[in-house]
Amino acid sequence: MTPTAPARTSTRPRSRRRARAAALALALALAGASTAPAAAAHAAPAAHAVLRATPPAPPQLSADATGDPALAGRARAAAAGLAVQGLAVAEGDAAGGRSAALGRADARPGRERAMTAGTPQEVGSVAKALTGLLLAEAVARGEVTASTTLAEVHADRDLPAELGRTTLAELATHTSGLPRLSTRAQLRALVTDRTLGNPYAWDTPESLLADAGGTPLRTPRGEYSYSNLGHALLGQALAVRAGVPYPRLLRERVLEPLGAGATAALPDPLPAGRAREVAPDGRGTRPWLSTGSAPAGTGVFSTAEDLGRLAAAAASGRLPGAAALEPRVEAEGMRAGWGWFTATLDGRAVVGVNGATYGAQASVWCEPATGRWVAVTAPTGPGAQPAAQTVALRLLLGADPGA
């Protein structure tokens, strides 16, 4: 879940260079992985290389195309120069939508399979936007308030004072002061960034509180600092208040009302026909599965079609927990809501979120003023340029922001 962030929300005049830098910041602050997977993907251990007879090659889009031909053509033009093995897109406006896909869900010789808009894959930190919707729903139901603290939710636990005072709103807006990962997860990531394993494998709802209690704050409370740990704590706190596990809570309150039947947290078994996810250097990756960190984006699978339903509902404001989209705090040139981000790109306000794991990317954006929306998935980890976000914003805005 490596974070990426779009351009600034400020409407003050700025140079094109600043606009490009801001758009790049979007690519590096909303995707939400443990640590930068792009660097890790190019740092395979020497022993691993020795054991491989034929090193994998960086992925490339094949000529395969499915779905709407016109959209497929536009998506291929938008993906020019990007290293991904496959790409799926859904886009539309208030009048309706369409979908298409390029490349392959599995590019291994003899196992080639074309990508479709219905191909499931991990979506990483897009799950944070779903968790934000759950917070807004819980507030509307009277189960919690934005100022409810972790100590109030976990009254049976003896939490450290600083952690206990943390509010749900602080967790949702990345202003709790908690770092991106707990200390224990940071240590695990030193290994998994190289092996492309699962940095969240041992996280459980119970262990999160203990890990968070032993993790020093990274920044003062109230200051924006992207935190996977914070959103994991948020989702689990909402599950405790609702009295049901997080996957069920998400399904009943958000996914079913959206009609997003192909989306699930921690599906068992994993989705049939899911993409084979790969790192930017072509190495196969393993899914990030974790009962504890699912609200932050581990083990959440979806499709471009389902994420399109989410984007369309966000564009219209007709989705469960719509209050989560409201911008509330400054966030490195953007405004953060509860799991959602608002940015101003070339004078146009867009709302959305990105997600990524070592082997997958997803991007969901809309322009409420016009009702336009787009969702992109790619079963390839983000490299130097995040493909899913780049394609999404090129399709939504018509060109590279600030270009």
Side-chain angles (χ1 to χ4, degrees):
M1 299 171 288
T2 321
T4 57
R8 298 181 177 275
T9 55
S10 170
T11 57
R12 295 190 300 271
R14 63 177 184 260
S15 67
R16 288 188 173 184
R17 179 176 298 176
R18 289 180 61 198
R20 294 190 188 98
L24 179 59
L26 169 58
L28 300 175
L30 297 179
S34 59
T35 56
H42 296 285
H48 189 65
V50 169
L51 293 174
R52 185 186 295 115
T54 305
Q60 294 182 334
L61 276 178
S62 68
D64 297 87
T66 59
D68 184 89
L71 177 57
R74 291 174 53 233
R76 190 172 293 277
L82 302 176
V84 289
Q85 73 169 6
L87 196 73
V89 179
E91 69 157 16
D93 53 28
R98 61 207 65 83
S99 63
L102 307 172
R104 292 172 175 168
D106 191 335
R108 290 174 293 180
R111 304 184 187 182
E112 294 91 344
R113 178 161 47 94
M115 188 78 176
T116 75
T119 298
Q121 66 162 66
E122 292 178 274
V123 296
S125 287
V126 169
K128 292 182 176 68
L130 302 176
T131 300
L133 299 178
L134 285 176
L135 173 57
E137 273 289 288
V139 170
R141 292 167 180 253
E143 294 174 349
V144 299
T145 69
S147 60
T148 295
T149 65
L150 287 178
E152 291 171 327
V153 173
H154 302 286
D156 59 333
R157 300 287 294 267
D158 184 19
L159 301 181
E162 189 72 44
L163 181 64
R165 288 194 295 268
T166 303
T167 69
L168 301 185
E170 288 172 331
L171 297 173
T173 55
H174 302 281
T175 56
S176 67
L178 289 168
R180 186 183 302 179
L181 301 173
S182 69
T183 299
R184 185 168 71 147
Q186 291 176 43
L187 294 174
R188 288 199 302 267
L190 294 176
V191 176
T192 61
D193 281 354
R194 297 175 64 85
T195 64
L196 305 182
N198 179 3
Y200 304 91
W202 297 282
D203 289 351
T204 67
E206 294 74 24
S207 73
L208 280 174
L209 286 170
D211 287 351
T215 299
L217 296 185
R218 177 184 177 188
T219 55
R221 287 178 60 187
E223 182 178 319
Y224 176 84
S225 181
Y226 195 93
S227 177
N228 293 324
L229 175 60
H231 262 261
L233 290 168
L234 170 64
Q236 298 301 345
L238 296 173
V240 168
R241 273 298 168 95
V244 297
Y246 176 82
R248 176 180 166 186
L249 184 67
L250 179 64
R251 182 181 71 249
E252 293 179 351
R253 294 192 179 180
V254 174
L255 302 178
E256 288 179 352
L258 285 175
T263 303
L266 303 173
D268 185 17
L270 295 181
R274 68 186 182 278
R276 177 182 181 263
E277 299 170 357
V278 299
D281 66 357
R283 286 184 293 158
T285 63
R286 292 185 290 278
W288 287 358
L289 302 176
S290 159
T291 58
S293 290
T298 64
V300 178
F301 288 78
S302 189
T303 66
E305 289 176 338
D306 263 14
L307 294 186
R309 294 181 175 91
L310 175 64
S316 68
R318 295 191 294 270
L319 77 170
L325 279 64
E326 297 174 9
R328 299 166 192 271
V329 301
E330 292 293 333
E332 298 176 351
M334 299 175 296
R335 294 277 291 170
W338 291 346
W340 294 78
F341 292 84
T342 297
T344 299
L345 302 176
D346 293 341
R348 298 166 64 178
V350 294
V351 180
V353 65
N354 297 325
T357 68
Y358 290 140
Q361 305 174 57
S363 191
V364 176
W365 290 92
C366 67
E367 186 177 22
T370 64
R372 299 187 64 226
W373 53 267
V374 64
V376 179
T377 60
T380 305
Q385 188 173 14
Q389 176 195 281
T390 300
V391 171
L393 293 181
R394 285 175 177 174
L395 291 175
L396 185 64
L397 301 176
D400 286 333

